[in-house]
Amino acid sequence: MCHNSTEINRQLRKRGYRVTPQRQLILDAVCQLGKHVTPEAVYDQVHRIAPTLSRATVYRVLHFLTEQRILTMVHMADGRLAFEMAGPEPHHHLVCRSCDSLLELPHSVLRSFRQAMKSQYDFETDVSHVSFFGHCTDCHDSAGA
Amino acid sequence: MCHNSTEINRQLRKRGYRVTPQRQLILDAVCQLGKHVTPEAVYDQVHRIAPTLSRATVYRVLHFLTEQRILTMVHMADGRLAFEMAGPEPHHHLVCRSCDSLLELPHSVLRSFRQAMKSQYDFETDVSHVSFFGHCTDCHDSAGA
DNA sequence: ATGGATGCAAAAGTTTTGCAAAGAA
DNA sequence: TTCTTTGCAAAACTTTTGCATCCAT
């Protein structure tokens, strides 16, 4: 279990919602599958365990958990929709185009960039999650850059 | 006309392709509509002038012009697909969430960020076009940040 | 006539919605 | 009972594809 289900369940109940087996399965799936989990991947995973669990429920629960700030939603640079556990810390990712590996970056890596945008353009950059693409150390010399 | 159609037409013909009225209309539409133009916006625009021009053609031509490096394709942070004229300079955008205005940033604004990723993570960041979202100078004090 | 480009319609993929039924409070 | 949540099916939306036709060379 990669999330504190007791605490999450308590929060949800406190807000008047129910913690159904479907919601638990979907949350577990997002957790297990890691970062940038697509709705289809969640569906595949939970459908094996609970074949009657429908795509509609997957989408509804993913959006519900996002509203409840238990998940965060990301649109990736290739247009795919994805979710991941909402950590307490906002952060960013480096995504390898070759092997799909993820590196997590602290929010602070963009601090000076944001300050520059603020001072140069008076633009308040809102970067709660940005993914940058490229090639990781294992891939950028073997594969073509 | 916001693009050099004579030059573009010459290039396309030289590569063995045809410059059809549909292709010209679609190119003009992307040009006129500005940055981050969605396929649907292009379709609306050209469909007024040429009602038989189909969505299939819009999509085919947008992808064709992207392959020919006359347009570039962007997946925006809200998941929408968009196109814009491929300038000679790679660049980035600041997109205002309130008024949808766009500021164009030179490619160089991310130089130190990319160097940091390279030295800290040995990750080759490939940033041909990144859009950052937030609130522009007109919107960030009136609207809530 | 040859090969590229288009229009139409259908298909495919993804996400949302209506509604009745099931289930917890 | 009451209100939430689910499953199913259908709808909506976006994008792609097959195929006949059209058009430029």
Side-chain angles (χ1 to χ4, degrees):
Chain A
M1 196 75 34
C2 36
H3 58 91
N4 185 339
S5 44
T6 323
E7 173 57 17
I8 290 175
N9 294 356
R10 202 179 58 74
Q11 280 182 31
L12 287 179
R13 278 191 237 275
K14 196 167 67 180
R15 297 175 204 165
Y17 301 105
R18 294 179 195 163
V19 179
T20 63
Q22 289 91 337
R23 286 180 176 173
Q24 300 208 53
L25 277 174
I26 289 167
L27 192 51
D28 289 352
V30 174
C31 243
Q32 278 177 40
L33 294 169
K35 306 287 179 179
H36 292 188
V37 184
T38 63
E40 197 57 22
V42 173
Y43 177 75
D44 286 347
Q45 166 97 348
V46 298
H47 191 257
R48 254 179 260 132
I49 304 167
T52 66
L53 205 164
S54 62
R55 275 193 181 77
T57 298
V58 170
Y59 280 98
R60 275 188 294 228
V61 169
L62 289 174
H63 284 115
F64 166 77
L65 293 173
T66 300
E67 274 172 17
Q68 299 305 314
R69 300 190 177 271
I70 291 164
L71 300 181
T72 50
M73 190 194 299
V74 198
H75 285 276
M76 294 192 285
D78 61 359
R80 284 183 307 170
L81 176 63
F83 294 84
E84 65 177 69
M85 296 301 297
E89 304 280 322
H91 62 273
H92 312 291
H93 283 137
L94 293 178
V95 186
C96 179
R97 289 195 202 276
S98 292
C99 67
D100 268 339
S101 67
L102 279 186
L103 284 172
E104 195 160 318
L105 302 176
H107 192 246
S108 58
V109 295
L110 287 180
R111 190 189 305 135
S112 70
F113 172 76
R114 297 183 65 216
Q115 283 170 355
M117 295 306 101
K118 177 64 179 165
S119 60
Q120 289 174 39
Y121 301 99
D122 196 23
F123 191 98
E124 284 286 356
T125 316
D126 158 21
V127 280
S128 55
H129 180 125
V130 181
S131 287
F132 295 93
F133 290 76
H135 292 278
C136 72
T137 184
D138 292 337
C139 296
H140 68 67
D141 18 49
S142 32
Chain B
M1 196 76 33
C2 36
H3 58 91
N4 185 340
S5 45
T6 324
E7 172 58 14
I8 290 175
N9 293 356
R10 203 179 56 75
Q11 279 183 32
L12 288 179
R13 279 192 236 274
K14 196 167 66 179
R15 298 175 203 166
Y17 301 105
R18 296 180 194 163
V19 179
T20 63
Q22 290 92 336
R23 286 180 174 173
Q24 302 206 52
L25 278 174
I26 289 167
L27 192 51
D28 290 351
V30 174
C31 242
Q32 277 178 39
L33 294 169
K35 306 287 181 181
H36 293 187
V37 184
T38 63
E40 196 58 22
V42 172
Y43 176 75
D44 287 347
Q45 166 97 348
V46 298
H47 191 257
R48 255 179 261 131
I49 303 167
T52 66
L53 203 164
S54 63
R55 275 193 180 75
T57 298
V58 170
Y59 280 98
R60 276 188 292 227
V61 170
L62 289 174
H63 284 115
F64 167 77
L65 293 173
T66 300
E67 273 170 17
Q68 298 306 313
R69 301 192 178 269
I70 292 164
L71 301 181
T72 51
M73 190 194 301
V74 197
H75 285 276
M76 294 192 285
D78 61 359
R80 283 183 306 172
L81 175 64
F83 294 83
E84 64 176 68
M85 294 302 294
E89 304 280 322
H91 61 272
H92 312 292
H93 283 136
L94 295 179
V95 186
C96 180
R97 288 195 203 277
S98 292
C99 67
D100 268 338
S101 67
L102 279 187
L103 284 171
E104 195 159 319
L105 302 175
H107 192 245
S108 59
V109 295
L110 287 180
R111 189 189 305 135
S112 69
F113 171 77
R114 299 183 64 217
Q115 283 171 355
M117 295 306 102
K118 178 64 179 163
S119 60
Q120 288 173 40
Y121 301 98
D122 196 23
F123 191 98
E124 284 286 355
T125 317
D126 158 20
V127 281
S128 55
H129 179 124
V130 182
S131 287
F132 295 93
F133 290 75
H135 292 279
C136 73
T137 184
D138 292 336
C139 296
H140 68 66
D141 17 51
S142 34

